[in-house]
């Protein structure tokens, strides 16, 4: 398949706001590709490269060669070029990478260059999420959407089940199951404003209340001595968390898949600031902060898949496998026992953790889904928003990029985001130094003015006291007393909270 044809399809998808039409266009592009190219085309239609890291960023692509007069690149050639870039390392790799990138972009025409630049830095804005690609795959392969969704969740995304969907249909998709060593999409929690609201959704059923640790979500696979540790977004961080690898190798099992958190603790066993934990996933090598893993679920154990079993069975298997010091603190009972649940929650908060998650004891592990079986509760309102711009500080903060502009995802906005306010509160000196460097990298224009516009990539978790109506911002709402909790390097901008979520919070308040 020519890259030009894929770029044209991406352009057409971006030009329509109709979900049905987007799905039709994506399905058409999948059908137009050769069978062996379809998995790769699906990655590109979802707006991302097959390689998770290429070493190519915005800074290295600012000076592009002149575009080619006519398109000639194929998607296979593009993938091969990025694969070669991802393997460059060591002395001289920077120069080799620059030369290889220049060669690739020099073979692309103007439209292809723009798309390649966008996909290389994670900036393809076409409104085609993984969910839409899943729907398009079902349409193109003529298989039920429910079957594609199930297989995609267990395989780590829709792009990984393109081949079986086309080659074997429903039968092949049903053969897709848990595989030790292949990450699956994590189960996610919905939110409740407080514990009574969360408990009220479970009637009088058996539940667990788990401590919500302020760490890095980790999924760990073990096959003999081989251990794989991945993040919430399924990035491989095994070499960055040797403490987790050591703990898992000590467990009395040969093959397993565990879900949990890793976080840094101080000498008293209280959680360190999230940024210290996050730093461990950014680079390998020596660090001051050590991390401790805590597990709350087991999906596979020595040949037995557990993800479709009731949670109570998975919890029993977890308790028999993982010693208590490496299990997430948990209270079990019924939702009617609210006094005990409240007492447990108070202890969790007193220990310095950020909240609790209420879980249905009868629920299976719904990979990749956010439903009513898990409900998280935090003591304050928080949102994961995207930084749209940042202002230079004054006074003590002179020389640092300080006041950040906060936006929620909004598919109805031309930019894809709607601004909700600004804040400079909650920032330590270390955070100011970090964000000054980070936002200079993301700057889309001059950085010598007062306001620096940035690419909408960095997710930040903010706490706030409420929402108020505002004519100043296009969404009609503004955050009250917003302050930074932490930067979320484990989330992409596509996973930030939406304007719809913010409006729902405002209606509830």
């Amino acid at each position: 398949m020519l890259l030009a044809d894929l770029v044209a399809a991406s352009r057409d998808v971006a030009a329509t706001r109709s979900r049905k039409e987007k799905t039709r266009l994506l399905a058409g592009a999948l059908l137009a590709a050769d069978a062996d190219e379809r998995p790769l085309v699906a990655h590109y239609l979802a707006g991302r490269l097959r390689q998770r890291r290429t070493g190519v960023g915005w800074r290295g692509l600012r000076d592009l060669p002149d575009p080619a007069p006519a398109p000639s690149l194929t998607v296979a050639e593009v993938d091969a070029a990025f694969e070669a870039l991802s393997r460059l390392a060591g002395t001289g790799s920077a120069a080799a990478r620059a030369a290889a990138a220049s060669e690739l972009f020099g073979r692309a025409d103007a439209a292809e260059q723009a798309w390649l630049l966008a996909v290389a830095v994670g900036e393809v804005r076409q409104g085609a999420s993984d969910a839409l690609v899943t729907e398009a795959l079902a349409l193109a392969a003529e298989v039920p959407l429910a079957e594609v969704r199930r297989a995609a969740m267990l395989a780590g995304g829709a792009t990984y089940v393109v081949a079986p969907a086309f080659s074997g249909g429903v039968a092949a998709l049903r053969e897709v199951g848990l595989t030790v060593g292949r990450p699956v999409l994590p189960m996610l929690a919905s939110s409740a404003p407080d514990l009574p609201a969360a408990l009220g959704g479970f009637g009088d059923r058996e539940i667990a209340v788990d401590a919500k640790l302020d760490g890095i979500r980790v999924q760990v696979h073990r096959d003999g001595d081989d251990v794989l540790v991945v993040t919430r977004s399924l990035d491989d961080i095994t070499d960055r968390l040797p403490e987790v690898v050591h703990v898992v190798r000590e467990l009395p099992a040969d093959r397993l898949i565990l879900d949990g958190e890793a976080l840094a603790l101080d000498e008293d066993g209280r959680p360190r600031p999230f940024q210290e934990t996050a730093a461990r996933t950014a680079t390998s090598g020596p660090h001051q902060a050590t991390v401790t893993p805590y597990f709350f679920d087991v999906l596979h154990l020595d040949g037995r898949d557990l993800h479709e079993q009731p949670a109570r069975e998975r919890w029993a298997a977890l308790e028999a496998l993982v010693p208590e010091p490496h299990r997430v603190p948990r209270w079990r009972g019924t939702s009617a026992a609210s006094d005990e649940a409240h007492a447990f929650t108070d202890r969790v908060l007193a220990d310095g953790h950020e909240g609790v998650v209420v879980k249905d004891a009868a629920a299976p592990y719904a990979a990749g889904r956010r439903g009513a079986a898990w409900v998280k509760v935090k003591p304050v309102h928080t949102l994961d928003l995207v930084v749209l711009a940042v202002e230079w500080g004054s006074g003590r903060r002179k020389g640092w990029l300080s006041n950040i502009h906060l936006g929620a995802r909004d598919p109805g906005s031309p930019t894809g985001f709607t601004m909700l306010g600004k804040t400079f509160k909650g920032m330590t000196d270390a955070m100011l130094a970090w964000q000054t460097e980070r936002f200079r990298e993301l700057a889309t224009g001059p950085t010598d003015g007062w306001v620096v516009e940035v690419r909408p990539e960095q997710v930040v978790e903010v706490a706030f006291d409420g929402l108020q109506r505002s004519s100043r911002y296009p969404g009609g709402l503004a955050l009250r007393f917003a302050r930074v909790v932490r930067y979320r390097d484990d989330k992409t901008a596509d996973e930030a909270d939406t304007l719809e979520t913010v409006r729902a919070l405002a209606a509830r308040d």
Side-chain angles (χ1 to χ4, degrees), residues 201-416:
F202 291 91
D204 193 20
R205 299 200 298 274
E206 180 188 358
I207 60 168
V209 180
D210 282 6
K212 189 177 190 310
L213 308 185
D214 192 16
I216 294 293
R217 181 86 174 263
V218 291
Q219 183 182 126
V220 184
H221 295 238
R222 176 183 172 186
D223 188 354
D225 283 337
D226 294 331
V227 176
L228 171 69
V229 185
V230 299
T231 65
R232 182 179 184 274
S233 55
L234 308 188
D235 290 317
D236 184 350
I237 55 170
T238 308
D239 61 342
R240 301 173 188 178
L241 297 179
E243 305 98 320
V244 176
V245 173
H246 173 74
V247 168
V248 172
R249 281 181 175 159
E250 293 295 310
L251 298 178
D254 289 323
R255 305 184 78 244
L256 55 77
I257 303 175
L258 294 168
D259 196 356
E261 296 269 343
L263 72 161
L265 304 174
D266 64 19
E267 58 275 10
D268 296 322
R270 294 177 63 83
R272 299 288 299 168
F274 174 80
Q275 294 303 122
E276 294 187 22
T277 303
R280 290 298 309 276
T281 67
T283 58
S284 56
H287 291 269
Q288 288 186 339
T290 59
V291 300
T292 301
Y294 294 89
F295 299 106
F296 53 74
D297 222 321
V298 54
L299 312 186
H300 178 93
L301 183 58
D302 282 339
R304 183 186 176 205
D305 287 343
L306 299 173
H307 64 289
E308 294 182 342
Q309 300 303 312
R312 64 174 67 88
E313 293 189 23
R314 304 197 307 275
W315 298 339
L318 183 76
E319 291 168 7
L321 173 69
V322 178
E324 186 175 1
H326 290 293
R327 297 199 306 267
V328 167
R330 169 175 288 158
W331 172 86
R332 292 181 62 178
T334 68
S335 51
S338 59
D339 289 345
E340 295 177 40
H342 275 281
F344 175 80
T345 300
D346 289 342
R347 290 197 299 273
V348 166
L349 297 175
D351 287 340
H353 302 301
E354 65 174 359
V356 295
V357 183
V358 184
K359 299 180 177 181
D360 188 342
Y365 188 94
R369 295 181 61 186
R370 187 189 306 277
W374 289 7
V375 182
K376 61 185 176 183
V377 180
K378 295 183 180 181
V380 296
H381 290 305
T382 65
L383 287 168
D384 291 326
L385 302 175
V386 177
V387 179
L388 307 179
V390 61
E391 300 170 6
W392 284 105
S394 59
R396 195 183 72 80
R397 296 190 176 195
K398 187 175 182 180
W400 280 335
L401 286 171
S402 176
N403 204 14
I404 55 176
H405 296 200
L406 303 164
R409 279 194 300 123
D410 180 10
S413 167
T415 64

Side-chain angles (χ1 to χ4, degrees), residues 150 154 176-180 182 184 257 299-300 305-307:
R150 176 201 162 276
L154 296 177
V176 176
L178 282 181
T179 299
V180 176
R182 183 178 66 191
V184 302
I257 303 175
L299 312 186
H300 178 93
D305 287 343
L306 299 173
H307 64 289

